[in-house]
Amino acid sequence: MMSRTITFNKLREIKDQLPEGGVKTIARKLDMNEETVRNYFGGWNFDQGESIGIHMEQGPDGGLVTLDDTTILDIAEKMISSE
């Protein structure tokens, strides 16, 4: 398991670059709730999804986000680069 720190704005940019249905594809691949994947990318729907290892710190460019596990991010980046 690998951690990574990026800006919140960059994390949202990656989510926004996903192809249509990308969040659903990631959720299915990892057998998790779609809202949990959205929360990973900065969403706040904790009634239907979980928080999974993201830590936010205020700062420029939306602040810093430390991801305990980059699995979702890695899949997202591969999906974007293969378009």
Side-chain angles (χ1 to χ4, degrees):
M1 193 178 335
M2 190 118 182
S3 69
R4 181 169 161 192
T5 301
I6 64 173
T7 66
F8 179 78
N9 289 348
K10 180 64 178 171
L11 185 64
R12 294 298 292 181
E13 179 184 313
I14 291 168
K15 181 199 170 281
D16 292 343
Q17 290 177 4
L18 286 171
E20 185 157 339
V23 168
K24 180 179 269 191
T25 300
I26 293 169
R28 283 185 183 161
K29 185 175 228 171
L30 298 175
D31 193 30
M32 63 176 54
N33 184 296
E34 284 181 52
E35 289 304 320
T36 300
V37 175
R38 284 188 185 90
N39 290 345
Y40 184 88
F41 286 107
W44 293 96
N45 186 348
F46 300 111
D47 291 334
Q48 296 182 13
E50 300 174 43
S51 173
I52 52 169
I54 68 166
H55 310 280
M56 301 178 81
E57 184 178 317
Q58 291 185 337
D61 208 16
L64 294 176
V65 179
T66 300
L67 306 165
D68 291 341
D69 183 342
T70 61
T71 302
I72 292 173
L73 184 62
D74 295 340
I75 293 169
E77 290 178 327
K78 284 179 188 170
M79 289 173 76
I80 292 166
S81 69
S82 68
E83 286 191 315

